[in-house]
Amino acid sequence: VKKKNPSLNQDVVLPSVEDIQALYGSEPRIVGLEQCEAFRAAVPPERRLMGPAGLFNSATNLLNKLLKLNCVNRARKQKPEYSRFIPTGMALQVPWGKHNPITWRLHHEAQLGGVVAGQQVPQTDVLPIVMIKDPITWMSSLCRHPYSARFRHRHLCPNLVPDEKDKGKRPGDKTINVIVRFATKHYGSDPLPGPTNKTFVDYDTILDFWSIWYKQYLDADFPRLMIRFEDLLFHAEETITEVCECGGGTMNSVFRYVEDSAKGQKGPHAGSAGFLASLITYGNRTLRMNETLTTHADVEYFRKHVDQDLMNIFSYSSL
């Protein structure tokens, strides 16, 4: 299929349905729908909130915009004591911080979203909507936009195992580790951490970072949904409808998409892809299978160390 790209004034070739289905299947993969009833039973309608969580580059901003455009908690809007903050019920992020590990829940208040309009957001009133992305394309995104992750990637990225150009490391020996800076935990009346108080977590590789972070949410003992980034591209309306209804929301009559980059183009988000560019990139089977991890050692490390439960549950094909 060809589509005119106004910014380039030329035709671009969109991925085929066959390629998309070969990569991600023919329908959305949503984990946690069996917990929706428990969440709605535990939280009164007017108090229910939904908020994105996910690693950097997993499209949490896109999820937030799609929910705000299409879903509303009508019971909350009708109660003045709740409608004065987060009136639609669609929070910017989970109040413990969308990029922080799950263990920050009930132990941390994010600077953005932990307290809104001077009121503490009850964390158990929030249904986390966890965005997950194919680890192969996610690693490629992290190379372009590392945010708070620090790892060696000057000459090759993604890179999991050292090669001959990695000074101080023997080729194939050990791994290229990553150090990730998270918010230092602060909750309620606890003393605020100082500006130099940082929390760093070391992972063996960026692949291990992905596996460990998401496996903790997969094993959560409270209601949460986990949805694929790719389903917001290829099955957006169906996916958002399921999420909205799970959290007790009501869909608007006409579904609205987000065409430009949901992150904007300022600061660390500069160069982020919009809807059309994402369709082309993430539907490209050749790019995903053959042109991302380019060394035999990296491919072998991926096959041995990626979390297979996550790969199977979310229908991400291996290499």
Side-chain angles (χ1 to χ4, degrees):
V1 177
K2 288 189 176 182
K3 183 178 179 64
K4 184 69 71 176
N5 184 341
S7 64
L8 299 177
N9 195 29
Q10 63 184 19
D11 288 339
V12 294
V13 179
L14 296 180
S16 68
V17 173
E18 291 76 18
D19 274 356
I20 293 170
Q21 291 185 353
L23 287 172
Y24 309 117
S26 59
E27 57 187 22
R29 297 288 189 274
I30 303 177
V31 169
L33 289 173
E34 74 284 353
Q35 300 173 336
C36 298
E37 186 175 347
F39 172 77
R40 294 193 299 266
V43 184
E46 66 275 10
R47 285 173 42 190
R48 296 172 189 160
L49 296 166
M50 287 179 264
L55 290 179
F56 327 119
N57 299 293
S58 64
T60 54
N61 290 307
L62 175 61
L63 172 62
N64 174 251
K65 287 197 172 185
L66 284 171
L67 285 172
K68 284 186 174 180
L69 286 171
N70 296 290
C71 180
V72 63
N73 180 340
R74 291 181 178 172
R76 188 177 184 88
K77 291 194 75 173
Q78 294 169 0
K79 296 279 188 176
E81 63 269 38
Y82 295 102
S83 62
R84 66 186 180 86
F85 77 104
I86 318 180
T88 64
M90 308 303 132
L92 176 67
Q93 63 172 340
V94 293
W96 53 93
K98 61 185 180 180
H99 299 318
N100 292 325
I102 194 173
T103 50
W104 266 238
R105 181 179 182 265
L106 304 181
H107 298 283
H108 179 67
E109 288 175 344
Q111 288 187 350
L112 290 175
V115 176
V116 178
Q119 185 166 337
Q120 186 182 51
V121 177
Q123 298 197 1
T124 54
D125 287 356
V126 180
L127 178 68
I129 315 300
V130 184
M131 292 294 302
I132 190 170
K133 189 177 186 180
D134 181 335
I136 296 174
T137 57
W138 175 81
M139 289 190 293
S140 182
S141 296
L142 193 69
C143 292
R144 297 190 298 273
H145 301 282
Y147 295 99
S148 296
R150 298 292 177 263
F151 58 103
R152 184 185 300 190
H153 60 286
R154 290 182 179 178
H155 70 281
L156 177 68
C157 198
N159 51 333
L160 307 176
V161 179
D163 63 14
E164 64 279 358
K165 294 183 180 180
D166 286 305
K167 294 182 180 180
K169 290 181 177 286
R170 295 173 56 188
D173 183 32
K174 298 184 178 179
T175 60
I176 301 293
N177 72 307
V178 56
I179 298 174
V180 184
R181 177 170 56 84
F182 296 110
T184 297
K185 293 178 181 178
H186 165 264
Y187 195 75
S189 59
D190 294 346
L192 286 170
T196 61
N197 191 342
K198 308 294 183 184
T199 296
F200 296 93
V201 178
D202 196 333
Y203 300 89
D204 287 343
T205 68
I206 57 176
L207 176 65
D208 295 279
F209 175 29
W210 182 91
S211 291
I212 292 169
W213 198 98
Y214 282 112
K215 188 61 182 297
Q216 290 177 336
Y217 263 106
L218 184 67
D219 295 339
D221 60 359
F222 56 87
R224 84 299 177 240
L225 292 183
M226 298 182 72
I227 65 174
R228 302 186 302 182
F229 156 72
E230 297 80 13
D231 288 329
L232 294 190
L233 292 179
F234 306 119
H235 307 282
E237 184 171 0
E238 182 179 352
T239 302
I240 292 298
T241 299
E242 291 270 25
V243 170
C244 181
E245 293 176 351
C246 177
T250 302
M251 290 290 288
N252 295 330
S253 57
V254 178
F255 189 83
R256 297 172 62 189
Y257 291 85
V258 177
E259 295 186 8
D260 297 325
S261 170
K263 297 179 179 180
Q265 291 294 331
K266 295 182 179 180
H269 301 312
S272 299
F275 180 68
L276 179 59
S278 295
L279 279 178
I280 296 168
T281 299
Y282 297 105
N284 186 328
R285 189 179 183 190
T286 301
L287 177 64
R288 190 263 185 192
M289 298 298 290
N290 303 322
E291 299 177 10
T292 303
L293 289 179
T294 56
T295 71
H296 176 74
D298 283 345
V299 170
E300 286 302 305
Y301 187 92
F302 180 91
R303 290 171 175 167
K304 291 179 181 178
H305 293 273
V306 70
D307 189 282
Q308 290 299 333
D309 286 340
L310 291 168
M311 295 293 283
N312 294 335
I313 289 170
F314 290 101
S315 294
Y316 289 136
S317 55
S318 191
L319 294 172

